[in-house]
Short mmCIF file of all heavy atoms in Angstrom, two decimals:
data_model
loop_
_atom_site.label_atom_id
_atom_site.label_comp_id
_atom_site.label_asym_id
_atom_site.label_seq_id
_atom_site.Cartn_x
_atom_site.Cartn_y
_atom_site.Cartn_z
N LEU A 77 1.87 17.00 18.38
CA LEU A 77 3.29 17.13 18.15
C LEU A 77 3.52 17.63 16.73
O LEU A 77 4.33 18.53 16.46
CB LEU A 77 4.01 15.78 18.31
CG LEU A 77 5.49 15.82 18.03
CD1 LEU A 77 6.26 16.77 18.91
CD2 LEU A 77 6.03 14.38 18.13
N SER A 78 2.76 17.08 15.76
CA SER A 78 2.84 17.58 14.37
C SER A 78 2.44 19.10 14.28
O SER A 78 3.10 19.84 13.59
CB SER A 78 1.95 16.75 13.45
OG SER A 78 2.33 15.40 13.44
N ARG A 79 1.39 19.47 14.98
CA ARG A 79 0.90 20.80 14.98
C ARG A 79 1.95 21.70 15.62
O ARG A 79 2.17 22.87 15.14
CB ARG A 79 -0.43 20.88 15.71
CG ARG A 79 -1.14 22.24 15.48
CD ARG A 79 -2.53 22.21 16.16
NE ARG A 79 -3.38 21.22 15.60
CZ ARG A 79 -3.84 20.14 16.29
NH1 ARG A 79 -3.38 19.95 17.50
NH2 ARG A 79 -4.58 19.21 15.72
N LEU A 80 2.56 21.24 16.66
CA LEU A 80 3.65 22.10 17.33
C LEU A 80 4.84 22.29 16.46
O LEU A 80 5.41 23.39 16.44
CB LEU A 80 4.01 21.39 18.65
CG LEU A 80 5.15 22.08 19.48
CD1 LEU A 80 4.66 23.43 19.96
CD2 LEU A 80 5.57 21.15 20.65
N MET A 81 5.23 21.23 15.77
CA MET A 81 6.47 21.36 14.93
C MET A 81 6.26 21.99 13.60
O MET A 81 7.15 22.75 13.09
CB MET A 81 7.07 19.95 14.74
CG MET A 81 7.51 19.28 16.06
SD MET A 81 8.24 17.62 15.77
CE MET A 81 9.68 18.00 14.84
N LEU A 82 5.06 21.78 12.99
CA LEU A 82 4.84 22.23 11.65
C LEU A 82 3.73 23.19 11.49
O LEU A 82 3.48 23.72 10.42
CB LEU A 82 4.63 21.02 10.70
CG LEU A 82 5.76 20.01 10.64
CD1 LEU A 82 5.32 18.77 9.79
CD2 LEU A 82 6.97 20.63 10.05
N GLY A 83 2.93 23.35 12.55
CA GLY A 83 1.86 24.36 12.50
C GLY A 83 0.54 23.68 11.95
O GLY A 83 -0.47 24.38 11.83
N THR A 84 0.60 22.38 11.62
CA THR A 84 -0.61 21.69 11.12
C THR A 84 -0.42 20.19 11.42
O THR A 84 0.72 19.72 11.57
CB THR A 84 -0.80 21.91 9.60
OG1 THR A 84 -1.90 21.18 9.14
CG2 THR A 84 0.45 21.40 8.83
N SER A 85 -1.53 19.55 11.58
CA SER A 85 -1.58 18.07 11.73
C SER A 85 -2.13 17.34 10.53
O SER A 85 -2.31 16.17 10.55
CB SER A 85 -2.39 17.74 12.95
OG SER A 85 -3.75 18.19 12.85
N ILE A 86 -2.45 18.13 9.46
CA ILE A 86 -2.94 17.53 8.25
C ILE A 86 -2.02 17.78 7.10
O ILE A 86 -1.34 18.77 6.99
CB ILE A 86 -4.38 18.25 7.87
CG1 ILE A 86 -5.28 18.08 9.08
CG2 ILE A 86 -4.97 17.62 6.64
CD1 ILE A 86 -5.72 16.71 9.41
N GLY A 87 -1.94 16.75 6.26
CA GLY A 87 -1.09 16.89 5.04
C GLY A 87 0.10 15.91 5.07
O GLY A 87 0.32 15.26 6.03
N THR A 88 0.77 15.93 3.93
CA THR A 88 1.86 14.95 3.67
C THR A 88 3.01 15.16 4.70
O THR A 88 3.48 14.22 5.33
CB THR A 88 2.40 15.08 2.32
OG1 THR A 88 1.38 14.81 1.40
CG2 THR A 88 3.55 14.06 2.03
N GLU A 89 3.45 16.43 4.88
CA GLU A 89 4.52 16.72 5.72
C GLU A 89 4.24 16.34 7.17
O GLU A 89 5.03 15.86 7.95
CB GLU A 89 4.96 18.22 5.63
CG GLU A 89 5.68 18.59 4.29
CD GLU A 89 4.72 18.64 3.16
OE1 GLU A 89 3.52 18.75 3.38
OE2 GLU A 89 5.14 18.64 1.96
N ALA A 90 3.03 16.69 7.66
CA ALA A 90 2.62 16.53 8.99
C ALA A 90 2.63 15.00 9.31
O ALA A 90 2.83 14.57 10.43
CB ALA A 90 1.27 17.09 9.30
N THR A 91 2.27 14.22 8.35
CA THR A 91 2.14 12.76 8.45
C THR A 91 3.51 12.07 8.69
O THR A 91 3.63 11.01 9.27
CB THR A 91 1.44 12.09 7.29
OG1 THR A 91 0.21 12.82 7.04
CG2 THR A 91 1.19 10.62 7.47
N ILE A 92 4.58 12.67 8.17
CA ILE A 92 5.88 12.15 8.28
C ILE A 92 6.30 11.93 9.75
O ILE A 92 7.01 10.92 10.10
CB ILE A 92 6.91 13.04 7.55
CG1 ILE A 92 6.67 12.98 6.04
CG2 ILE A 92 8.30 12.58 7.88
CD1 ILE A 92 7.48 13.93 5.26
#
Side-chain angles (χ1 to χ4, degrees):
L77 179 61
S78 298
R79 194 176 297 112
L80 177 65
M81 295 180 67
L82 301 175
T84 180
S85 58
I86 304 297
T88 302
E89 288 76 17
T91 305
I92 292 172

